[in-house]
Amino acid sequence: MAEWAAIFGGTGAALVTGLFAVFAAKFRRENTDQHAANLRRLDDISERIGEVRDDVKEVRRRQDDHLEWHVENG
């Protein structure tokens, strides 16, 4: 009887270990894919923020030019 318990115990432990390894690899792959997608999103956000910053600087420059025009022609 002890032989059967050892066989089933060893087989069960190998099965649990194998399943754990499969799930760990799957979750690691999904995490890596999600991380790459998040980096792409952050790069896109960073680029858009840069564009907005440049637009704000241009509006500020034009506003200063306009105010100078009022001072000269006012």
Side-chain angles (χ1 to χ4, degrees):
M1 186 70 179
E3 297 86 19
W4 287 104
I7 290 171
F8 287 121
T11 304
L15 180 64
V16 168
T17 303
L19 286 174
F20 178 77
V22 168
F23 285 128
K26 179 180 183 263
F27 291 139
R28 188 178 314 113
R29 184 173 47 252
E30 288 176 356
N31 187 34
T32 301
D33 294 344
Q34 187 65 41
H35 183 71
N38 287 342
L39 283 176
R40 285 190 298 273
R41 286 186 192 110
L42 288 174
D43 286 343
D44 186 48
I45 290 169
S46 175
E47 183 178 328
R48 289 176 186 215
I49 287 173
E51 291 172 359
V52 169
R53 183 190 64 227
D54 293 343
D55 287 347
V56 168
K57 286 181 179 179
E58 178 65 17
V59 168
R60 176 65 187 260
R61 187 189 65 75
R62 287 178 183 251
Q63 180 184 18
D64 289 343
D65 290 347
H66 181 75
L67 291 174
E68 286 180 24
W69 180 85
H70 277 287
V71 168
E72 292 172 0
N73 298 313

